[in-house]
Amino acid sequence: MSKKIFKEMSRLDDQPLISLTVDELMTVPHLGKEEPMVSPPEKWTNNYEFCFDEHTPLGLPKPESREEEDEFVKKFLSGLQKLLDPRNNWTFLQILRLSLDYCMHCQTCSDACHVYLGSGQQEIYRPTFRAEVLRKIYKKFFTPEGRLLGGFVGADLEVNYKTLVRLLESAYRCTLCRRCALMCPVGLDNGLIAREIRKLFSQEMGIAPPEIHEKGCVTQLKVGSSTGMNPLAFKDTIEFIEDDIFERTERKIKLPVDKKGADILLIHNAGEYLAWPENPGAFAVLFDAAGINYTLSSEAVGYDAVNYGAWYDDVELARIVLRHTLIARDLGVKKIVIGECGHATKAYVVVADRVLTGELSSSEIPRESCLPLLWEIVRRGAVKFDPARNNFPVTLHDPCNMVRLMGLVEPQRRVLRKLCPQFREMNPHGVHNYCCGGGSGFAVIQSFNFPQWRNKVGTRMKMKQILSAFGDVLDPAVPKYVAAPCSNCKGAIRDALAHYALWTRYQILYGGIVELMVNAMADLPRPFIEWEFH
């Protein structure tokens, strides 16, 4: 990277570092003619910061005085000091320090990044860019050479209010998919650096996208769900799902709620109940047929696996995993299984081990993804399937949090190979697959013009992968299905398919894996999957 880009980062004016146009973006075959990028209106740019790339998920108000700007810088530096202190950063400090200290600047990570590639290789979207900005600030203020030679260390980057605003914005152009970490020759994690930047701004300065914090974690802990669904509404939703199951399958199935001593506490992303109720409905049909002894919880938070803290704030993450675990303990279940939700699975199955100890640890109450259980149902023949009922083209999107970050690569593939005669892989796939573009909260952020950036840049590589996977069957007379076992991934894919009109143009549908499994059940009177776009 040139030194010029760091000087640009420190500019005190409101001009963005870049202004994106669709002509500069990565070419995607079969995508068709695109609508141009729309610049933000003056009523936004006059009042809020748009100085990074003319987009924002934050809507940071412009400061009213120089004193306010100085206080912003002071709080940031105080937060950075805490971020580097083991007494304050008890989750990922060692990985952060190593990633700050040992980057080789080889840019291998750039070639791995779907955002950088999708943007047409814009310099400010390199995974190393935001990391290098933080690294320069760290060296200037928190190393012996920086304290002694401050004028020479990081001299190409001035630490001012605009620098830090652009750094914050850049941390929200990374989906935290960590494909960069997979490819790094020395194992550094630029995705984690982006996450820790977000944490600094949230825990020290109270700044985070409203959909993730106020409408996400705060609402979940106060009301019961990040969607705003309270326990009474959850009860009504369960009744709706039971009626929908009967309509689709002619089976009267009562979903078990608050059943003491069940083998499994099943927790779905609450977005499934509202946006895709057929997904928890399919789990109910499948588990009933397979004889799975499970329960749902009607306790506030207990019916929502969402843990947005995984993306930006350790304190919020800890509050939610603690609540989930206490509910499981009170129900006396043998283990907890997370439904088709990538970030919730990673937060609870992996990251929670940095928070929960003693009788709340995973050794006392095991925590698992649903994917191995779904394959086990197929493997042991607990349900009779007819793969011919899924005889349409199917491809698989690998959710980053479960596949690349947890190594859950094969169970879902084994299900699809067994039950979907026309299954085909994306290229690349498995741990090398690209992010959907909706990771780390992007799928739920609707503030200002951020959805334009997400659809045009963030999901661009995933649209290329999907269209390439179905390249030989793009005829709209042939229905096609993208299996995406993650709520956030489904949300991002849904919005991108709608943005590019790929349902009407090519009849590409999306959904979970469990719906395909139920669709293939041999004794159902009609298909479970309804071929319409949600």
Side-chain angles (χ1 to χ4, degrees):
M1 289 180 290
S2 66
K3 290 187 177 182
K4 180 183 176 183
I5 192 66
F6 296 108
K7 289 190 177 294
E8 291 284 297
M9 189 77 168
S10 308
R11 278 198 335 243
L12 292 173
D13 58 48
D14 289 334
Q15 289 301 308
L17 298 182
I18 61 170
S19 296
L20 290 167
T21 67
V22 294
D23 294 335
E24 296 174 299
L25 303 179
M26 179 185 70
T27 301
V28 179
H30 313 298
L31 202 58
K33 184 174 174 57
E34 288 188 57
E35 293 296 320
M37 288 277 195
V38 178
S39 297
E42 284 190 12
K43 65 180 180 180
W44 289 356
T45 57
N46 288 340
N47 295 292
Y48 302 99
E49 294 290 354
F50 281 83
C51 61
F52 185 66
D53 60 2
E54 291 192 305
H55 295 82
T56 184
L58 294 153
L60 197 66
K62 290 186 176 178
E64 297 180 357
S65 66
R66 178 62 182 271
E67 289 74 23
E68 192 175 335
E69 293 182 4
D70 291 343
E71 182 64 19
F72 191 92
V73 175
K74 181 180 177 181
K75 283 186 175 180
F76 173 86
L77 292 175
S78 172
L80 182 54
Q81 185 174 27
K82 292 178 182 177
L83 199 68
L84 299 169
D85 184 346
R87 294 169 297 178
N88 291 289
N89 190 350
W90 32 265
T91 48
F92 303 109
L93 177 58
Q94 184 177 19
I95 306 168
L96 173 65
R97 292 297 294 261
L98 291 172
S99 295
L100 285 174
D101 287 340
Y102 293 108
C103 180
M104 298 169 60
H105 304 99
C106 65
Q107 302 303 338
T108 302
C109 57
S110 296
D111 295 334
C113 177
H114 67 286
V115 171
Y116 173 71
L117 297 174
S119 74
Q121 302 184 27
Q122 299 289 339
E123 195 89 335
I124 64 170
Y125 297 132
R126 290 183 185 274
T128 51
F129 177 66
R130 68 188 67 86
E132 189 62 19
V133 172
L134 185 67
R135 188 175 290 114
K136 287 177 181 291
I137 299 172
Y138 155 65
K139 288 182 177 179
K140 189 179 188 72
F141 290 94
F142 299 102
T143 63
E145 58 268 30
R147 296 188 192 97
L148 291 172
L149 305 169
F152 299 96
V153 176
D156 53 347
L157 181 80
E158 182 182 345
V159 181
N160 58 41
Y161 169 76
K162 288 292 187 181
T163 305
L164 300 182
V165 168
R166 292 181 177 116
L167 176 63
L168 170 60
E169 288 286 353
S170 72
Y172 283 98
R173 299 302 183 275
C174 168
T175 60
L176 311 186
C177 80
R178 294 172 65 209
R179 196 171 188 268
C180 57
L182 176 73
M183 299 299 187
C184 178
V186 292
L188 302 191
D189 195 336
N190 285 306
L192 178 74
I193 290 177
R195 194 263 183 186
E196 295 295 279
I197 293 170
R198 295 182 183 189
K199 184 170 79 178
L200 189 165
F201 278 98
S202 176
Q203 294 184 184
E204 184 69 13
M205 305 171 73
I207 301 172
E211 292 89 348
I212 295 178
H213 185 62
E214 290 93 346
K215 298 177 184 178
C217 288
V218 172
T219 299
Q220 184 178 10
L221 289 164
K222 184 183 296 184
V223 178
S225 165
S226 58
T227 64
M229 180 172 62
N230 62 27
L232 184 60
F234 172 72
K235 180 181 177 182
D236 292 340
T237 302
I238 291 297
E239 292 176 358
F240 169 82
I241 291 173
E242 290 172 348
D243 291 342
D244 186 60
I245 288 172
F246 182 74
E247 186 176 325
R248 289 172 184 259
T249 68
E250 298 181 10
R251 296 185 178 193
K252 283 187 175 291
I253 296 175
K254 187 78 173 172
L255 274 67
V257 178
D258 298 331
K259 178 182 176 182
K260 295 278 189 177
D263 291 337
I264 290 170
L265 170 61
L266 177 65
I267 314 179
H268 295 291
N269 183 320
E272 302 286 349
Y273 289 112
L274 300 183
W276 305 287
E278 65 276 8
N279 182 270
F283 269 97
V285 174
L286 186 67
F287 280 17
D288 180 75
I292 303 293
N293 179 17
Y294 79 105
T295 188
L296 306 173
S297 169
S298 68
E299 289 287 320
V301 182
Y303 48 81
D304 187 0
V306 159
N307 194 330
Y308 291 172
W311 301 327
Y312 79 107
D313 193 302
D314 287 345
V315 176
E316 299 300 333
L317 179 143
R319 286 172 175 158
I320 293 167
V321 298
L322 178 61
R323 184 72 187 126
H324 281 147
T325 308
L326 291 174
I327 289 169
R329 186 188 65 179
D330 291 345
L331 284 171
V333 297
K334 294 179 180 176
K335 65 180 176 181
I336 302 160
V337 172
I338 307 297
E340 293 188 7
C341 181
H343 88 270
T345 304
K346 181 192 77 171
Y348 201 30
V349 176
V350 179
V351 185
D353 279 340
R354 297 175 181 266
V355 176
L356 301 172
T357 59
E359 64 180 13
L360 300 181
S361 68
S362 58
S363 61
E364 296 296 319
I365 308 176
R367 309 183 293 266
E368 300 177 3
S369 161
C370 67
L371 297 181
L373 178 58
L374 297 183
W375 166 240
E376 180 62 17
I377 290 171
V378 176
R379 187 195 66 78
R380 65 184 173 91
V383 177
K384 185 177 180 181
F385 294 105
D386 178 8
R389 302 183 72 152
N390 282 342
N391 195 19
F392 43 83
V394 174
T395 193
L396 173 65
H397 163 68
D398 290 292
C400 303
N401 285 305
M402 290 191 287
V403 179
R404 181 157 43 254
L405 309 188
M406 293 178 61
L408 284 169
V409 179
E410 280 302 311
Q412 60 272 36
R413 285 181 159 73
R414 290 171 179 168
V415 171
L416 296 182
R417 290 178 194 132
K418 192 81 172 177
L419 301 184
C420 301
Q422 296 189 54
F423 171 61
R424 72 272 311 279
E425 292 277 15
M426 291 185 187
N427 184 35
H429 56 266
V431 297
H432 294 96
N433 205 349
Y434 287 102
C435 178
C436 65
S440 78
F442 288 9
V444 300
I445 295 174
Q446 301 298 329
S447 295
F448 295 91
N449 59 353
F450 190 73
Q452 174 177 255
W453 184 90
R454 181 186 66 234
N455 286 323
K456 294 288 191 187
V457 180
T459 62
R460 197 171 192 84
M461 181 62 80
K462 185 50 56 179
M463 291 302 101
K464 182 178 182 179
Q465 283 194 286
I466 289 171
L467 289 167
S468 297
F470 292 135
D472 60 328
V473 287
L474 285 176
D475 183 343
V478 180
K480 295 161 280 289
Y481 190 98
V482 180
C486 171
S487 297
N488 282 283
C489 298
K490 286 194 297 189
I493 291 170
R494 172 197 60 198
D495 290 355
L497 291 177
H499 180 80
Y500 294 110
L502 299 186
W503 165 251
T504 54
R505 192 182 302 168
Y506 298 127
Q507 203 174 354
I508 300 175
L509 189 66
Y510 68 96
I513 287 179
V514 72
E515 293 98 305
L516 285 169
M517 295 178 70
V518 174
N519 198 63
M521 286 175 59
D523 57 354
L524 292 189
R526 64 184 66 89
F528 186 82
I529 293 174
E530 297 176 349
W531 288 96
E532 58 186 31
F533 194 82
H534 293 263

